Amino acid sequence: MGCVIMSYKLLDGKDLAARMKKAMSKEVEKLASEGIVPGLAVIIVGNDPASRIYVNNKRKDCEEVGIKSFEYALPEETPEEELLGLIDALNQDSSIDGILVQLPLPRHLDEVKVIRRISPEKDVDAFHPFNVGELMIGRPVFAPCTPAGVMELIKDANIDVAGKNCVVVGRSNIVGKPMAMLMLHENATVTICHSKTRDLKAMCSKADILISAIGKANYITADYVKEGAVVIDVGINRNAEGKVTGDVDFPEVSKKASAITPVPGGVGPMTRAMLLKNTIKACNMHNKKSLS
Ligand code: L34
């Protein structure tokens, strides 16, 4: 009797994002030949070092595919009225197709109010209540970037979602809730777990597809994971030296999983790829409208 060595499929977000960017470059080139250049405005308030990294990466991505990016770096103490005024101006600006306000915002700024101010047709994050509602009823114009990136990874690996038990750990408006909704639309049976969930380990152990968005390094150990499960790690945690790790204990969990995302190089690059996709979509929408 030989022993069975399980091998897992690495869900390589960096690779898929690169493939998507290649295809999107062609699309943007075609638009450029018609004199159209998609424009993305990114607003960052304050000096959060992680936000800085993500925003820098987003700018590089835009350059790579030919999207024009406009960055607005505002000081930590920016008054709310000033931020809202900038959003109003960008809503009116026809060279801007997408507007993104990097979260989290400094405490004195009301995130909900700020996001509500973005014109829904430029809301490439899909955080505005209008777009949240469209997602809820199953007809999203823009899919929220992180959850949509996870779905792309799963589709690209030909993983069947219908009828599967999907457990999402985390209930944020950015990841957990929209993630659950996208999975539900693909006919998964979805459970959302959170900090008050009783016996998280037992819940996770039932998952065919486990999606972790907790924000605690190596929290999901092998005893949370069913043999053969698909494990998606949305966590981005930095240790004292600035090294990035996910929520999942990758070396141990990968021995049990049938497919698993790495961190870095998993969901993060996909989030950014979906932002580009939404920006191109917004651009196409805006230009069709102005033709009619
Ligand atoms: N408005 N705020 C808004 N939209 C978003 O979609 C985000 N998010 C989250 C934080 N705030 C936001 C992001 O962009 C998280 N997030 C994000 C995006 C990209 C990466 C991580 C988080 C990413 O590129 N991760 C790399 C590692 C980069 C590093 O060194 O930190 C990775 O390979 O996972």
Side-chain angles (χ1 to χ4, degrees), residues 54 57-58 101-103 125 127 236 238 244 264-265 268-269 272:
Y54 306 149
N57 287 343
K58 288 174 184 180
V101 178
Q102 188 70 22
L103 302 179
D125 265 327
F127 292 167
I236 304 260
R238 274 194 169 68
V244 175
R272 285 151 41 204

